[in-house]
DNA sequence: CCAATGTTAGACCGTACGGTACGGTTTGAC
DNA sequence: GTCAAACCGTACCGTACGGTCTAACATTGG
């Protein structure tokens, strides 16, 4: 089988993603990964030199697959509340999806031991915060928001989005969030954000 | 018959705390724990029936040691901004302490596998949120804050406190936070919170 | 058809783990 | 002073891991 390697590589990464997200880094076993697709360890080690590098690539793929999505919602500075609400719902739905929740557990849990978090942060949260910051800067320049540090404002906005649901879902102290719960939480977060950062006397 | 056991038990828990916070649950080894105090495995297993139960008790002790502290700042409803600022600084300083940061990594990382998060959440975050909620309720009833759902407001307040520093510190994408950085971040968080939840036209 | 290459299955190596067993020693209560 | 409980040190058991290696099989290009 001289044929190309890309699809096999993908299959390995998919199986590895399952295993890592279910069992964590240490808990995941190479044998279990190859067992999931009927491949052999030899083959896996032909594509990836070690468990560590396989792990890093799995994480990077999860982030890249999910983080690019909700940018187009941040263009209409004429309707700040609407844009934030749309973006917030899309963002939080992704953030609370099973794959991203598993990713959060992994990256938090391994951040003491590994440097994977330092690798992934610029491609994940930092990127999102930068997009928000640009949007908020534009809105401030147009006088639609109170003038403030847009970087801090972006972090405050993201924190408010996470406030009600993220931690309980990740820690499994509540069931996964339904879509209407997400929308309601985003609504309250956007309200609080605009009350704090909107122009004086104006609400959402 | 040989004497008491409480100090030995404490010594084991201290060594276990070190080992778990440094290496995570799977990475920690019983042999290393007993090696830290020159004890023997037999002795450890006389005090704790398994690695799992030892782990749970270590986590519970960390929480109980740290979480009770900053309640007394939440009594003076006459000075809401000052109370929040004082409480916020104390809270965030604890939250960003090395032991609590390690705890966050542990509880997030193990929340997929173990039920320890469900056990600890009521003694940790939930308790803090309840205290804040009571304080906010009182402040609302006295007309010092806009009337809103105090539970949501408490979560928003806590999220704003975490917004700038918590994640970067836990993920080690920045150095640990200095006291003046913490105070400044709390200041911005309290400002944003009061701008959103204060009475109309009133700022901090 | 052949040679080269990719593949699978599984044995194998060294290591480390959680947990138990055992012999010998120290400690305290009586 | 006696005796039982607690202790240490270490060997041990069974298992599982990451990673390497061998050997048979499948698929391609020429």
């Amino acid at each position: 089988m001289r044929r190309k390697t890309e699809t096999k590589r993908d299959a390995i990464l998919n199986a590895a993603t399952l295993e890592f997200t279910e069992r964590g880094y240490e808990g995941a076993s190479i044998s279990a990964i190859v067992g999931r697709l009927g491949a052999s360890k030899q083959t896996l080690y032909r594509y990836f030199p070690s468990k560590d590098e396989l792990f890093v690539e799995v994480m990077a793929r999860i982030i890249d697959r999910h983080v690019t999505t909700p940018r187009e919602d941040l263009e209409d500075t004429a309707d700040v509340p609407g844009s934030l609400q749309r973006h917030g719902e899309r963002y939080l739905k992704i953030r609370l999806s099973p794959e991203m929740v598993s990713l959060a557990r992994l990256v938090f849990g391994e951040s003491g031991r590994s440097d994977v978090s330092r690798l992934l942060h610029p491609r994940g949260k930092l990127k999102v915060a930068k997009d928000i910051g640009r949007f908020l800067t534009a809105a401030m320049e147009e006088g639609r928001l109170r003038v403030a540090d847009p970087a801090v404002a972006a972090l405050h906005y993201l924190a408010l989005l996470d406030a009600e649901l993220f931690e309980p879902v990740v820690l499994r102290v509540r069931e996964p969030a339904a879509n209407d719960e997400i929308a309601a939480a985003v609504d309250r977060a956007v309200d609080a954000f605009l009350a704090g950062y909107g122009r004086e006397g104006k609400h959402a």
Side-chain angles (χ1 to χ4, degrees), chain A:
Chain A
M1 244 181 255
R2 172 82 104 19
R3 280 275 305 141
K4 274 283 289 174
T5 56
E6 207 51 45
T7 84
K8 189 108 224 164
R9 187 183 160 84
D10 270 0
I12 295 174
L13 279 170
N14 287 336
T17 301
L18 269 181
E19 176 78 4
F20 278 127
T21 53
E22 280 176 15
R23 312 175 103 85
Y25 176 77
E26 303 245 29
S29 109
I30 300 286
S31 302
I33 292 173
V34 300
R36 280 176 191 264
L37 21 70
S40 91
K41 289 211 259 182
Q42 184 72 282
T43 305
L44 187 149
Y45 277 99
R46 189 182 296 277
Y47 286 87
F48 301 92
S50 71
K51 187 185 183 184
D52 254 299
E53 305 206 23
L54 174 61
F55 178 66
V56 171
E57 191 136 340
V58 163
M59 309 280 277
R61 240 177 39 135
I62 296 182
I63 285 204
D64 289 343
R65 239 202 316 241
H66 288 82
V67 90
T68 47
T69 316
R71 275 173 107 158
E72 61 269 24
D73 294 318
L74 291 175
E75 283 160 10
D76 182 12
T77 52
D79 177 17
V80 174
S83 295
L84 289 183
Q85 179 76 27
R86 276 188 297 277
H87 171 273
E89 282 186 37
R90 194 120 69 169
Y91 169 81
L92 200 53
K93 239 176 260 179
I94 293 172
R95 180 128 167 106
L96 297 180
S97 68
E99 207 174 15
M100 285 299 267
V101 166
S102 297
L103 177 76
R105 293 194 190 116
L106 277 175
V107 67
F108 271 94
E110 297 304 318
S111 58
R113 179 194 64 85
S114 143
D115 284 340
V116 65
S117 54
R118 262 193 283 241
L119 231 74
L120 266 39
H121 196 251
R123 299 160 77 167
K125 188 101 170 201
L126 205 61
K127 201 167 171 190
V128 174
K130 283 223 163 82
D131 289 340
I132 314 255
R134 264 191 294 277
F135 174 81
L136 295 179
T137 304
M140 288 172 189
E141 285 169 355
E142 296 176 18
R144 301 180 193 280
L145 288 180
R146 174 167 67 83
V147 173
D149 183 336
V152 172
L155 291 175
H156 280 177
Y157 164 73
L158 285 172
L160 287 171
L161 285 181
D162 277 355
E164 295 186 48
L165 295 173
F166 180 68
E167 204 171 89
V169 167
V170 172
L171 299 186
R172 292 193 310 157
V173 299
R174 55 157 291 157
E175 67 278 11
N179 279 348
D180 56 332
E181 293 177 293
I182 293 180
V186 170
D187 191 53
R188 287 186 287 268
V190 170
D191 272 3
F193 178 76
L194 289 177
Y197 282 92
R199 284 207 330 246
E200 314 289 301
K202 277 201 63 171
H203 276 146

